[in-house]
Amino acid sequence: MFTTRFDLRILPIVACLMAISLLVISSTTAPEEASSFWTPLVKSQLRWYCLGWVVFFAIAHFDYRRLRPWSPFLYVATLLLLAGLFFAPP
């Protein structure tokens, strides 16, 4: 059921973009004399990627039609949060 509603072509595309970005981060943050790929920034980025995949699949699996009764409240809350940006410090 889940895979019928989900476009599986997005997975390898996003994975390739993530791999390229890890290579770029590693090449720019690694010291000249070190040949290690796993710099602290690469490890941190990889943790955020893993968290992002979990959130992505959780939201993709969620049936958005269950939010219909909440839509007026969510709309007003979104507008208030958006208006609150005018009062937030830069």
Side-chain angles (χ1 to χ4, degrees):
M1 180 176 98
F2 171 66
T3 55
T4 58
R5 301 184 289 141
F6 190 71
D7 188 12
L8 294 176
R9 291 177 293 182
I10 196 169
L11 298 177
I13 294 171
V14 172
C16 285
L17 288 173
M18 293 166 81
I20 291 170
S21 69
L22 287 177
L23 287 171
V24 170
I25 291 171
S26 177
S27 68
T28 58
T29 60
E32 294 290 328
E33 62 276 352
S35 63
S36 176
F37 174 77
W38 300 104
T39 63
L41 282 175
V42 170
K43 291 178 185 177
S44 173
Q45 190 69 24
L46 192 59
R47 278 187 290 253
W48 282 110
Y49 282 162
C50 292
L51 178 67
W53 278 110
V54 169
V55 171
F56 171 72
F57 283 114
I59 290 176
H61 196 285
F62 182 72
D63 185 16
Y64 64 89
R65 291 174 289 222
R66 293 175 50 192
L67 292 176
R68 189 156 211 24
W70 292 86
S71 60
F73 171 74
L74 291 173
Y75 180 70
V76 170
T78 303
L79 288 179
L80 289 174
L81 287 171
L82 189 60
L85 289 175
F86 287 114
F87 304 107

